Every structure is written in structure tokens, then in C-alpha cells.
Amino acid sequence: MCGIIGVTGAADPLQVMLDALALLEYRGYDSAGVVLVGDNRLWRKRDAVRGHSLETLRHAAPGAPTHMSSGIGHTRWATHGAAVERNAHPHCDCTGRVAIVHNGIIENYQELWEKLAAEGHTRSSETDSEVVAHLLERELANGAGLAEALRRCVAELRGDFALAAVSTHEPKVIAAARRTSPLILGQVDGIGLVASDIAALLGTTRTLYQLEDDEIAEVRPDSISVVGLDGRDRELKPLKVGWDLVAARRDGYDDFMSKEIHEQPRALADTLMGRIHADGTTELEDLRLTEVELDGIERVVLIGCGSAFYACLSGRIALEHWARMPAEVEIASEFRYRDAVLGEQTLVVAVSQSGETVDTFHALREAQRRGAKTIALTNVVDSLLAREADGVLYTRAGPEIGVASTKCHATQIALLQLFALHLARQRGTIEPEEGRDLASRLLALPGLVDRAIARLDDYFSVADRLAEVQDVYFLGRHVGYGVALEGALKLKELAYVRAEAYPAGEMKHGPIALIEEGAVVVAIATRGRLLEKVMANIAEVKARGATVVVVCDEYDEATKAVADHVLEIPAVPELLSPAVAIVPLQALAYGVARARGNDVDRPRNLAKVVTVE
Ligand code: M6R
């Protein structure tokens, strides 16, 4: 969470920072701020009006001093300290000659503050981050250069962090460091750059480098040097770039979410194409696990958070059904702290759009520590997870900027299904003919999603009729349960509507007590082996006064007849239905959110990338 940018050597560092912060805003938008360094002073501007702080900075730009050498900027998702201006980054030391920006959490900040306070430092925010500015002040006073001061300071920090710092002592230098939270470096035509992700730098340079854990960089206009915590020189490691800037723009859509919903067919096609051949064989290029290693796998544990976790639910069903592989699903943040029993016959698949989610990352490390083989299933090439895992499965969805996951969720499901087919063939649990058939059905998914997207206006008109809804219950069974969970999450995070998802069969074990006249129930009632049972569950809530919305197959008149509102999708083979059935629920949440005047790309309290626990 939080976006960081640093620039040195640019003619107009402020403009470079403002452009980059606009591309980083999806990481957090509680506040934003910049510092410029030059003329032996710092110029700082911060603002904390959620989602609008960048506008304030833009308006302030004409009043900024010119001829400044460098600067650092930040867009914040608040952790320690409320989302108010005094807690907005950059933070300064007591002298006003050092400024820092930070992403992550400094776990021992209280302890460090006590020492600093005893030395006479005073703080001006409630953040954990500010401590770093004062630690730097102390080391600079002891004679260290900025990068060396940061190295000494990092040695004292506990937690996960990415940091960039400037000081009036060396106005052309940006010092940067990281532990777990990502930070990348860039260089072009006498300009040095630091940023928390690729999106921020694509418009400026494609010559990018990655910084590893506990490395400290000194970035100057025409050079970058890196040392480890021990002070020894480290090599600069080039970073692969898979996207271009155009892909990170709205392209005429009202918002990124709308663009990303429409991009789902292409994202699915790109994720599947070239990986399934006409004869039904599969090829997963970055899997990096040999056939012998895969043969040795006796159990798969799928982990993720939020929508990624819900994608895992569909993955489990596919692994069990086609590959006859024992499979479990775990929320990464819980898995990490359980005493999970894992061994070298266990394969842990960590699913994460960003490849940065700190819970998923630490869960993967824990799995490795316990001897399991690991795969990262991610959308970001060379992300933290991709670098850490034994093998990688890349979704090829392109950048997903809207906070609510859409195209990445759909591609995660499809790629897990493709992986299940891959294992099924290898384990001989499906006949070649069945494998061919399944491959061709998987390849038909983009077209089916496209047909669902063609019905978006129908879905939006149901959303309009439900715009005032208060509480919604999503019901599904089997593959429909994961869809129900994801549909409820979309409605919560975008429309701020209380929404709960239940396996439909569980309703009568308690939750049905909540159903009364006016309750809204969304049932996933696509054709499959449990449709009759779902219909019975629909009858039970209808009998108690619920308004029923069904997601059902087109031409399924019997199901439509019991519903108050219908969200039709093209008929899809049962196990492959989640990637299609989720489209109307994305649209429902989008439509209700828009009707309520909510910002669908930047819903309140959220950030796209969750890099704190
Ligand atoms: O980057 P990740 O896939 O690891 O992110 C996981 C969740 O934070 C993410 O899916 C979140 O739940 C989204 N806001 C859902 O729309």
C-alpha cells in the first residue's frame, strides 16, 4: 500500500513526481505529498482530502520553487495515524533538512522513538514512518552521507518497508532501501528514479532495476550504486518489464473498473493462448518444476487473500475433479500463523494479482521453510512472489488499476483450471479425449465472457432497481459458492452495502433467521448438478419474503420464473462457469456503487496493493 516516487536530475522534478503519483494513486489515496530539494532547503506540500490530494498538489505546482535538484513524493494508505495532513508523507526531521517517504510498517518504531526523544528529537506526526527521518538526522550529524546514514538506519529497523530519502546535504542524491515492500530504480538521460512499482516509471524509462531485501541504493542523475546491509557493493539487477504505459490508461472509459471488466475476454485469451495445444496438451512456461517433481506432489494447498482466495475455491474443485489431487484452500493471513503440516510432497500455490500482498508473501516463505514446493500465480512479472517461489504461473491480464479485482480474478480462475488440466494429463486422471474436450472448452471461455459482457446494460438496469438496497445475501453451492463470495465482496467494497455469502445449503442452519420481507437474495443458479437443490433454497428464502435475483443460464425459463430479477449468462460447462457467472455480479456492484455516487476505482478505506499485515 502507499506509492513512492523519487526523481533526481529532471528539469522539472515536481511534474515528473505528479505524473508518477497519478499512476501510483491506486496503491493508496488517503493523502499525498511531495518534497523538493535545492537552494539549501526543502519545499514541502501535502494534502489529505481522500482521493483529491493530488489535485491540491497540482494547483500548488505553479508556486513551487524552480531549479530544484530532486524530490520525493508519496500517496498514502493510512496505517499509523489518521488520514490527516500532519500524517501525510514526506516526513521531515527536526532541522527540516531531511525528508523521507515510506511504505510498509516499522514494527519497532515506539522503541526507537523513546531513544530519539531521550536524545531531544520531537515528532510532528503519529506515524511510524517519521522515526526514519530523525534516525537519518542523527546519522548525518555523525558525519555519514545520506545513503550511508540510511544503511545504518535500516539496520535498526524491524518490519517491512520501502524507503526513499533526500536531504539538503546532498541535494542530487536520493537514498532508497527496502525490506519485503517493493522498490524499483530507473535511469534515463541524466535522470535517476525510484518508485514503488513499474506503473509509475513506464512513461519515463524502461531501463529499470530491482532492489533486493536489505539493499540500500544511492541514486544520482547519472549513476546508481547499491550496497548491502554490510556496506559491500551489490550488482544492479535489471528488471523485466511486461507492460506499456498505454495499458495503464483509461482509454476513454469512465473508470478503470469499467475498462477492466470489458478487457476480460482479451485477458482470458492471452492467459490461455499458447498454453493449450489442439491435441489438448498444455505448456506452462515458467512452472520450473520438473515432471518428476510434479509426480511427487501428493497434495496442493492454494493460498490467497480476498478475490484471489475466492479464485482458489474454483481451483480446488478443478484440481480435485480433473486431477484427482487432494487440494485445500487457505486464507494466506491465517495459513501463515497456523502450524500447517507441510512437506516436500506438498505444493503450495500462492495466488496474488500484485505478487506483493504481504500476507501471501510471508505465507509462501513459511511454506518454503517447512519444505513445501511453491508456485506463485501472479499477474506481475518479477514481482516479490514470482521471485521467491520455485515456479510461476503468470496470468496475462495486463495492469489492473481499479481497486476491485475483475479481470485478474477471472484469469486466476482460468489459469488454476488450466493448471488442473496440466496435472490431470500428467497424472493420467483424464483420458486424452476428455483432455482435448476440456482444452477446447477452456479456450471457449473468452468468447462466453464476451457474451456476458454484451449483456452489461441488462445487468446495470437490475443494479439501478437495487440501488437503495441495504442488506444482500449471496447464495451458491459448489462452484457457485466461490462466485457468491466474490459477488458479495464486490458489493461490499464498491457499493458499501452489507453483503454476506453463504453456501446455500447452510442457510437453514442459522442465517435464514435473517430473511424477512424486503431482504435481497442473489442466488447463483446456473445449470449444474446442484441446480435443483439451489432452487429449493431459493424457494425457502422466497417463502420468507426475500426479493430474489438469480444468476442463471439464458433460456432457463424455469429458473427465471421464480426470480424477481434475472441476470442471464450464456450456458457454460459447470466447472468452468465461475469466470462467466461473476460478470453480472461485477456489473451489479459497479452499477449500485455508481448509482450511489461512489468512486469505483478508489473505494473508501482500501488500496489496490496490501503490503501491511
Ligand atoms: O494482489 P492480490 O491478489 O494479492 O490482492 C488480494 C486482495 O487484496 C484483493 O483481491 C482484494 O480483495 C480486492 N480488493 C478484491 O476486489
Side-chain angles (χ1 to χ4, degrees), residues 18 49 53-54 73 149 155 174 192 202 220 255 277 291 416 436 514 520 547 583 603:
L18 292 177
V49 179
S53 304
L54 272 183
I174 299 172
L202 286 177
R220 293 175 177 271
D255 40 64
H277 302 296
E291 290 197 355
L416 284 169
R436 267 195 294 278
L514 294 167
V520 175
T547 298
V583 174

Side-chain angles (χ1 to χ4, degrees), residues 304-309 351-357 360 385 403-406 412 486 489-490 493 606-610:
C305 299
S307 296
F309 170 69
V351 180
S352 169
Q353 177 280 129
S354 59
E356 276 186 50
T357 299
T360 313
L385 277 167
V403 163
S405 189
T406 51
Q412 285 164 354
E486 174 66 2
L489 178 63
K490 292 277 98 65
E493 68 181 335
L606 296 176
K608 182 70 181 165
V609 190
V610 181

Side-chain angles (χ1 to χ4, degrees), residues 520-540:
V520 175
V521 170
V522 179
I524 318 307
T526 46
R527 283 208 178 95
R529 71 195 84 170
L530 293 179
L531 179 56
E532 278 180 11
K533 294 193 188 298
V534 174
M535 293 300 279
N537 300 136
I538 291 174
E540 288 154 12

Side-chain angles (χ1 to χ4, degrees), residues 324-575:
R324 304 302 300 139
M325 174 64 86
E328 293 156 40
V329 180
E330 293 269 1
I331 292 174
S333 54
E334 290 294 315
F335 175 77
R336 177 183 171 188
Y337 292 108
R338 285 214 348 264
D339 205 3
V341 181
L342 305 170
E344 54 182 31
Q345 270 85 40
T346 314
L347 175 68
V348 172
V349 182
V351 180
S352 169
Q353 177 280 129
S354 59
E356 276 186 50
T357 299
V358 77
D359 289 312
T360 313
F361 176 73
H362 284 301
L364 179 117
R365 275 199 168 164
E366 183 59 22
Q368 288 178 326
R369 209 180 58 74
R370 289 170 185 257
K373 301 212 166 33
T374 56
I375 290 179
L377 189 153
T378 180
N379 194 43
V380 181
V381 174
D382 260 358
S383 56
L384 279 182
L385 277 167
R387 284 191 271 136
E388 193 73 16
D390 300 322
V392 190
L393 294 169
Y394 284 117
T395 50
R396 297 174 185 146
E400 189 179 68
I401 309 290
V403 163
S405 189
T406 51
K407 61 177 179 172
C408 283
H409 175 72
T411 52
Q412 285 164 354
I413 293 173
L415 189 50
L416 284 169
Q417 291 169 336
L418 172 55
F419 181 55
L421 168 61
H422 186 79
L423 282 185
R425 289 190 59 96
Q426 169 135 357
R427 290 162 65 85
T429 52
I430 50 171
E431 296 299 325
E433 184 54 39
E434 198 185 345
R436 267 195 294 278
D437 182 54
L438 187 50
S440 74
R441 286 168 189 265
L442 263 170
L443 287 169
L445 259 184
L448 292 166
V449 169
D450 202 29
R451 283 176 52 202
I453 286 169
R455 295 177 186 269
L456 280 180
D457 285 342
D458 297 343
Y459 305 152
F460 291 146
S461 60
V462 174
D464 284 344
R465 277 175 268 151
L466 295 175
E468 301 305 322
V469 73
Q470 300 279 339
D471 293 282
V472 183
Y473 304 92
F474 285 75
L475 306 183
R477 302 184 82 131
H478 191 243
V479 282
Y481 177 48
V483 177
L485 283 161
E486 174 66 2
L489 178 63
K490 292 277 98 65
L491 197 63
K492 282 185 262 210
E493 68 181 335
L494 295 168
Y496 317 146
V497 169
R498 278 187 298 271
E500 293 300 333
Y502 291 102
E506 271 294 292
M507 282 300 276
K508 56 180 97 52
H509 297 288
I512 201 162
L514 294 167
I515 303 295
E516 56 186 350
E517 201 68 39
V520 175
V521 170
V522 179
I524 318 307
T526 46
R527 283 208 178 95
R529 71 195 84 170
L530 293 179
L531 179 56
E532 278 180 11
K533 294 193 188 298
V534 174
M535 293 300 279
N537 300 136
I538 291 174
E540 288 154 12
V541 293
K542 252 190 109 61
R544 287 159 181 86
T547 298
V548 172
V549 183
V550 292
V551 176
C552 68
D553 293 358
E554 57 190 355
Y555 311 122
D556 181 356
E557 303 308 324
T559 302
K560 285 192 233 169
V562 303
D564 299 288
H565 304 287
V566 174
L567 300 166
E568 274 184 319
I569 58 167
V572 193
E574 184 179 19
L575 259 58

